[in-house]
Amino acid sequence: MPVSRTAVVPVEEIFALRWAVLRTGLPRETAVYPEDARPGTFHIAAYDESGAVQGCATFFPDPLPGEAAPAYRFRGMGSAPEVRGRGFGAAALTAGLRECAARGAGLVWCNGRTSATGFYQHLGFTLTGEEFTVEPSGPHYVFVTKDLDRP
């Protein structure tokens, strides 16, 4: 089941997937991010052929410490377990990078799970700094890219 399309959507469109995948077993409110209400925040959904949301990510303006370039940060990126490895997460992230570029960003960054290092590097991100822990998710690194026009 390939990715059929991606779109900028309201948070309600991606919320169920975000909660199910990134806050598994936790109360619903743990999947509400303070950034959802910030000006400039947008959400990307990646859909399968049936119209179901299978991948998502949330992007918001946030400067990267030590960088002068206008920056967006993303979080809440994930894909449904049954389609993992089929490009839904990559499609959501790539669409988000293009939208960030259209909104004037010079770079995009995230606090990404250490276990996803290969995924981020494959999509042109560079790991920076030391590993740190984000509760309740576990070990993370900061990943950064200036390559925002990926096909």
Side-chain angles (χ1 to χ4, degrees):
M1 174 180 328
V3 177
S4 117
R5 69 184 180 94
T6 60
V8 175
V9 299
V11 68
E12 295 79 18
E13 183 81 6
I14 56 120
F15 190 82
L17 180 63
R18 180 201 283 178
W19 181 30
V21 172
L22 299 171
R23 297 294 186 257
T24 309
L26 296 174
R28 185 178 193 282
E29 62 271 11
T30 64
V32 175
Y33 299 158
E35 295 87 4
D36 289 339
R38 277 193 195 172
T41 296
F42 67 92
H43 313 277
I44 298 283
Y47 298 90
D48 66 18
E49 293 167 327
S50 74
V53 175
Q54 299 289 2
C56 65
T58 295
F59 295 80
F60 51 96
D62 196 17
L64 178 64
E67 285 281 343
Y72 269 75
R73 180 177 160 199
F74 68 93
R75 66 180 298 196
M77 200 208 92
S79 59
E82 62 273 13
V83 298
R84 217 156 270 146
R86 295 189 196 163
F88 288 93
L93 181 54
T94 300
L97 293 176
R98 286 193 304 267
E99 182 67 20
C100 289
R103 293 178 181 219
L107 66 87
V108 175
W109 67 285
C110 73
N111 293 329
R113 294 174 196 235
T114 299
S115 60
T117 297
F119 171 81
Y120 289 121
Q121 289 176 329
H122 178 74
L123 289 173
F125 283 78
T126 302
L127 180 154
T128 62
E130 300 295 319
E131 186 178 69
F132 58 96
T133 300
V134 174
E135 293 301 339
S137 305
H140 283 62
Y141 283 106
V142 171
F143 293 94
V144 180
T145 188
K146 294 180 181 178
D147 182 12
L148 307 184
D149 269 338
R150 298 183 62 81

